[in-house]
Amino acid sequence: MMGFSQMMFSWAAIIPMIVLLYYFFRKKYTEQTVASTLFWAELMQETRVSPYLKHLQKNALLFLQLLALFLLVLALMNPYIKKSTIVGSQVIFIVDTSATMLAGKGQSTFEAHRQDMLALLPELQGRPVTIITTGHTPQSILQQETNSKVIEQAIQALQVTYETAEINKALDVAQAFIGEALTSVYIWTDALDKKQLPIEKESVKWIVQGAATDLINMAITRFAATTDGQMVMALVQLHNDTEKEQTVNLLLHNEQKEQIAQETLTIPPKETVIKTLKNLPLTNRLTATIDSQDDYTLDNEQTILLQAATSTIVVDQGLHQLIQKGVQTVDSTVKLMPASQLNELSNTTVITNQTALLQQMDKPVVLFGRDDVEKVAVNGHVTTINDALFAFSHLKDIYVGAIYPAYPNATTIASVGDQPFIQRSPQGDIIVLADIEDTDWPLHPSFPLFLWSVHQQLSTEMDSLGVFSPNEQRVVSLAQGEWNIYSQEDEFLSAITNGLLLAPMKPDIYMARSTGEEKPFIVQLQPQERMIEQGTSYTLGKLQVHDTEQATQMSMMPWFIVLIVLILVIEWEVQRRRGFTN
């Protein structure tokens, strides 16, 4: 924003007016008729060709003098450009390094934010800078650093870690550095709700720099497949993250990168569709890709490792027929058996309500209800945690009227109000603490999808380490020996120490190798990183201090002086060509 700091010199504007008045009242010569037409034709030709240029040439000195005087008046008023600067006694940068920061048109949001951070360096003026990166465990890259070279190097070294942002954790870390000091906190992210900011402190100014608001995205949000050893069946969930209907090509490729299926799908705006593909050729690896020209390509592809059935499933004949029919729809080989014969089975996954089988079976058990306690009435909405069983089945709209008491040593993965509804035991058992007749769950599409997920998890297993999120640490079961992690290009990445595997950062397929043995595993984006939000940028809070200005005034007087000198030189040259005596 432009302004003037010396408005009292505005009276000098009368000087160009004096020159202009002098021009009107200057001495005029009397026209004299000469009896000759010798040069008439040439004069008329020049006038017709360039009348405006002739007028400009005739009055060039006047225009140059007026322009010089006008610029002199502006220079006396000391024009300036108001330039915002950093406020407070310290600065904190919270940098979002999640995968969605790679979205962007031409330039990613992350790279655009990096350039903006570097542009702020000249305004630091010796203030200490703290840089915090987001993730499951936020990292303090710099702490109270004042050396601009060190700060610049730290910003240049920042990179996307593909983890979910979890901004709240980074804000908690920032609070430890804020204390009572006057602080400007810059949050470089794609989108952040104002409600997440702790704005109760008056000593903090929050500046949120978000992504562009016109980004479009189509995503593969879920992908799963199973095989019976002969054919493959796959489920793909696609989401349209735009305000317009989109048509995409869905492609499936096998381990040899050969295309084995193609579907053209039309997805309504802001909607999700699920596509089932059956009777696919047998393969050990399946990759789903969508052909979409959007602004975020990471979520346009997903790969899974397939697994073959290794155990059978038996359903208790005493259970509700909706459960029996639902499981048999998922797998036609499922058998029904009387409750009295179930305890004689081995290497079998049993679906029942007999709680005693939890201790007797060598394979995980699926409980629908319980036969050892009484159920109680319950009321509330169903909520779930981020669990693979709910990858395709969303339970938020179902009704549950009564549930059984929960198992204290099991993990609750779905609740009704504040009461456990579905649990997972340490041995892998899946426990639904309700009778189907006390719910309307079978009326919802999520019920057969839930049974399909249960079937996939409990009836199959593969010689792999499973799926990891970027940078996830997990203890894995491996044989004795030295194990290392390699990329698909056979590049050594890291070692597995004492069974603790640190997953690589970039989503892909990797190999854990030992002497004569290898186990593949997948690093996959978390579901939150497959959706982008509309960018938001705003400022909250204002530091109430008198000795810290929020803006600097960059004077434009030197530029005006240079222009005035240049105009005087041009005026001198015009006068010289015309002849000083004229």
Side-chain angles (χ1 to χ4, degrees), residues 48 61 119 125 188 233 269 345 386 551 558:
R48 292 191 188 99
L61 283 176
Q125 300 176 355
W188 309 93
M233 183 179 72
L345 299 174
N386 185 19

Side-chain angles (χ1 to χ4, degrees), residues 247-385:
T247 300
V248 299
N249 288 325
L250 172 63
L251 308 174
L252 295 186
H253 295 83
N254 60 15
E255 188 174 4
Q256 290 74 34
K257 299 184 179 180
E258 300 170 343
Q259 181 177 314
I260 60 175
Q262 178 179 355
E263 293 283 346
T264 300
L265 303 174
T266 300
I267 309 175
K270 296 296 182 180
E271 291 292 336
T272 298
V273 300
I274 296 177
K275 179 63 179 179
T276 303
L277 300 102
K278 299 180 179 180
N279 300 324
L280 300 175
L282 188 63
T283 180
N284 294 325
R285 183 188 305 172
L286 199 58
T287 300
T289 308
I290 55 173
D291 183 11
S292 175
Q293 301 299 319
D294 56 12
D295 299 320
Y296 184 46
T297 59
L298 277 180
D299 58 4
N300 292 351
E301 180 177 302
Q302 192 167 340
T303 301
I304 56 173
L305 301 173
L306 270 74
Q307 47 193 345
T310 58
S311 62
T312 58
I313 293 181
V314 171
V315 179
D316 190 335
Q317 285 184 343
L319 288 180
H320 198 284
Q321 286 193 356
L322 288 174
I323 299 177
Q324 299 176 17
K325 297 298 183 182
V327 178
Q328 288 181 327
T329 301
V330 172
D331 185 355
S332 60
T333 64
V334 170
K335 301 177 181 178
L336 301 179
M337 188 172 290
S340 58
Q341 301 178 13
L342 295 178
N343 58 356
E344 302 174 0
L345 299 174
S346 61
N347 194 32
T348 302
T349 297
V350 176
I351 301 178
T352 182
N353 67 340
Q354 299 183 53
T355 57
L357 295 179
L358 291 176
Q359 306 298 327
Q360 299 176 13
M361 304 302 295
D362 53 359
K363 285 283 185 177
V365 173
V366 181
L367 279 187
F368 274 93
R370 296 180 61 172
D371 63 350
D372 59 339
V373 291
E374 295 293 328
K375 55 190 174 185
V376 295
V378 68
N379 186 22
H381 296 286
V382 176
T383 57
T384 61
I385 67 171

Side-chain angles (χ1 to χ4, degrees), residues 469-480:
S469 57
N471 300 314
E472 179 184 355
Q473 280 189 333
R474 187 191 305 172
V475 176
V476 293
S477 178
L478 294 171
Q480 293 294 325

Side-chain angles (χ1 to χ4, degrees), residues 149 155 312 326 383 392 470 493 504:
K149 291 294 183 183
I155 294 174
T312 58
T383 57
F392 295 94
L493 299 177

Side-chain angles (χ1 to χ4, degrees), residues 76-108:
L76 289 173
M77 295 168 65
N78 191 22
Y80 63 85
I81 296 177
K82 184 176 289 187
K83 185 179 180 182
S84 61
T85 187
I86 298 175
V87 298
S89 58
Q90 67 168 336
V91 179
I92 296 178
F93 287 168
I94 298 178
V95 184
D96 187 344
T97 59
S98 61
T100 53
M101 295 295 290
L102 293 176
K105 295 183 180 294
Q107 185 183 47
S108 68

